[in-house]
Amino acid sequence: MPDSDVLLLSCGVTLAVVIWHSWSFAARLLRNRLRSLPGPASPSLFLGYAWRFWTTDPTELHEEWVQQYGRTLSYRILSDHCLFTMDTKALKQILMRDDVYQKPPNVRSFMAQMLGNGTVLSEGDQHRRQKRIVNPAFGTLQIRAFTDIFFSKAFQLRDIFSLEVARTRGTAEVDMYEWAHRMTLDVIGEAAFSYSIGSLQIDPTPNELCDAFHLVSRSVTRMSIWPMLQFFFPILRMLPEEQSRRFANARRAMSQFAKQLIEDKRRELSQQDDKKSRDRRADFLTLVVEANMKANLSPVQELSDQTIIDECTTYLAAGHETTAITLSWFMYNVARYPHVQDLLRKELQSIGTDAPTIEQISSLRYLDNVLREVVRLHPAIPSSLRMAMDDDTLPLSEPINVGGVMQDRIWVPKGTPIVIPILAMNRDKALWGDDAFEFRPERWDTLPDAVSSIPGIWANNLTFMGGPHACLGYRFSLNQIKVAVFTLLRAFEFELAVPAEDVGKSSTVLARPMRLSDPDKGPQLPMRVRACALD
């Protein structure tokens, strides 16, 4: 075939592909019933709001739209009409019906590059199998048994700060996010695997696992276009790219670490005939491997080695990072509001021991109020996504105007992406009152009745989500934070080392603290620490 004919044929095929995709794109837009819902016009014919939402937290824009279009609306990302709702009745059905509303496949595959397919990302029967095996590790009694680990690492961090204060003769400057990150990573190492990661040191010994986490946590504070293209077009993940290589290396290090620990744990358990001879404070891995070895489990119910590895990497990565972020925002708020810090310290110092029981810590009312307020206003993940895996009808507690007709339910076509507005719900003035955006721990003494309709698992908010996919480890995280705060605030006074206006949130999946004036340095929270003045 002559070269000119080959060129002509190639051009023809390319044109046909372009025409086909353009027609498909237009057809999806025109036949989607959500087009009739109120909502904003798209700023881009092709992208819709994809780029804006990829590079910034969309919460504030969503809140503006709710004021303009109502609490249930639609907008476009690429060729998809996304459903956004702050209607609590609709959100409850979305969170409870995990047979219909699941994480979008592109979200799961994108996040699995780092976390693997653990309980956080799995769906359907696989999720139920994994949850059945993993759930006992997060029970109340088991979490209570980890309290000594929480205190051990909190004491270690306290001693490091004491050395820094002594070295600087009065006031030390520390990166609270960095130290929270190290402490929570060490806690996860011991609680999950009885393994000392050893990151909580002034000059830690080089460690491949620790380096992997540090690399990922410091990787980005702003999202670029290439990861967005990889997210929406998974075939592009085959192409090499620096951030993808970093994630792959970190995932490889975690997987190798978990695989070796699983082999060691299985060998250890097989050599112990008497369950009573084992350590009563079994770690996460022991509980999971042991549960997976039960004689009454059918082959279908058993988890594969790869699935257990995925559970371990999920627990390693997600379990410590979100706790570190929440602890950082806790310290930010007590530094920003000195009267809160003073009241809290007074309550903490009313306990006559440095290592109280978890029941004693749970009795501290103001500590609980402050933590609830931090969790409400600073969710580690400001929003989440679901997708309708089948056609469904969503009930609404507040009817909306659709084409001049008031509707108390909306039709949701299969394949519809749905935004779960975590932060927006947590500070919704219609539910929380006009002071919803303010940091005010006292609100928890007399909550508005309306917040009881929020379908969250804890403290009338969506930070830990709700329904079958609610966060399994929320008690672990909350108790760890309480122990750390109890230990640090009894010993030190904290203040911000930079103006409060310079502290912002990274525009990535996780809302890490960062300096707005220096975003390229990565997540950070500079604070000044000094020893508490004795009364």
Side-chain angles (χ1 to χ4, degrees), residues 189-444:
E190 294 204 12
F193 312 108
S194 298
Y195 179 86
S196 177
I197 294 176
S199 64
L200 195 56
Q201 303 173 38
I202 294 177
D203 297 308
T205 304
N207 178 305
E208 184 181 9
L209 184 67
C210 189
D211 290 345
F213 281 117
H214 191 271
L215 188 65
V216 172
S217 70
R218 295 283 175 181
S219 58
V220 288
T221 51
R222 294 173 296 186
M223 299 299 280
S224 61
I225 191 169
W226 184 248
M228 184 190 79
L229 293 175
Q230 289 181 312
F231 177 83
F232 289 113
F233 306 102
I235 193 171
L236 296 177
R237 298 172 197 169
M238 299 172 61
L239 302 178
E241 181 261 335
E242 182 58 31
Q243 183 172 307
S244 298
R245 281 194 289 266
R246 286 199 297 265
F247 281 5
N249 290 336
R251 169 106 169 103
R252 191 179 305 112
M254 287 190 293
S255 294
Q256 291 172 350
F257 170 78
K259 184 177 181 181
Q260 184 60 53
L261 288 176
I262 290 168
E263 292 173 359
D264 294 343
K265 190 65 65 177
R266 187 176 284 122
R267 190 181 309 112
E268 174 189 329
L269 291 173
S270 65
Q271 294 171 355
Q272 295 177 340
D273 297 327
D274 185 2
K275 184 175 180 180
K276 293 181 181 178
S277 68
R278 301 170 194 164
D279 186 355
R280 290 187 66 187
R281 194 203 70 214
D283 57 46
F284 169 82
L285 182 58
T286 297
L287 293 167
V288 171
V289 172
E290 185 179 69
N292 204 46
M293 292 171 65
K294 287 182 178 178
N296 61 351
L297 276 185
S298 68
V300 175
Q301 292 175 313
E302 288 183 11
L303 304 184
S304 67
D305 281 1
Q306 184 57 54
T307 300
I308 297 177
I309 289 173
D310 288 346
E311 291 295 346
C312 291
T313 56
T314 297
Y315 198 18
L316 270 169
H320 88 277
E321 180 68 14
T322 53
T323 304
I325 290 170
T326 305
L327 176 56
S328 298
W329 287 118
F330 191 112
M331 301 307 293
Y332 164 82
N333 279 284
V334 296
R336 186 174 184 184
Y337 303 102
H339 69 284
V340 171
Q341 185 174 165
D342 292 341
L343 283 172
L344 184 53
R345 183 177 295 106
K346 183 177 180 180
E347 181 183 66
L348 301 181
Q349 290 178 339
S350 68
I351 301 292
T353 174
D354 285 344
T357 64
I358 202 65
E359 287 78 14
Q360 287 176 296
I361 288 184
S362 297
S363 70
L364 297 172
R365 180 68 175 270
Y366 196 61
L367 172 61
D368 194 61
N369 282 1
V370 177
L371 181 55
R372 287 168 182 259
E373 192 72 341
V374 170
V375 169
R376 181 182 76 87
L377 288 176
H378 299 277
I381 303 174
S383 60
S384 187
L385 283 174
R386 293 293 184 267
M387 176 174 281
M389 310 309 290
D390 204 347
D391 294 342
D392 194 33
T393 301
L394 276 180
L396 300 174
S397 58
E398 300 180 35
I400 61 172
N401 189 322
V402 181
V405 179
M406 298 303 293
Q407 304 280 357
D408 64 358
R409 59 191 60 244
I410 53 173
W411 174 257
V412 182
K414 178 180 179 179
T416 298
I418 302 169
V419 178
I420 308 295
I422 296 173
L423 177 55
M425 290 299 297
N426 287 359
R427 62 184 193 185
D428 181 9
K429 291 184 178 181
L431 299 175
W432 294 92
D434 291 338
D435 63 353
F437 281 56
E438 298 175 18
F439 184 82
R440 199 172 67 82
E442 294 76 15
R443 79 173 67 251
W444 293 94

Side-chain angles (χ1 to χ4, degrees), residues 142-193:
Q142 189 60 35
I143 301 304
R144 183 180 290 114
F146 291 141
T147 304
D148 58 338
I149 296 177
F150 299 159
F151 271 112
S152 173
K153 295 305 174 182
F155 290 161
Q156 197 173 341
L157 182 56
R158 179 196 63 191
D159 293 345
I160 289 172
F161 283 1
S162 292
L163 287 173
E164 288 295 289
V165 169
R167 185 179 62 82
T168 56
R169 299 187 178 182
T171 302
E173 185 167 320
V174 300
D175 181 350
M176 193 64 224
Y177 169 78
E178 171 68 17
W179 285 110
H181 185 272
R182 292 192 194 187
M183 187 191 73
T184 56
L185 180 57
D186 273 14
V187 167
I188 284 290
E190 294 204 12
F193 312 108

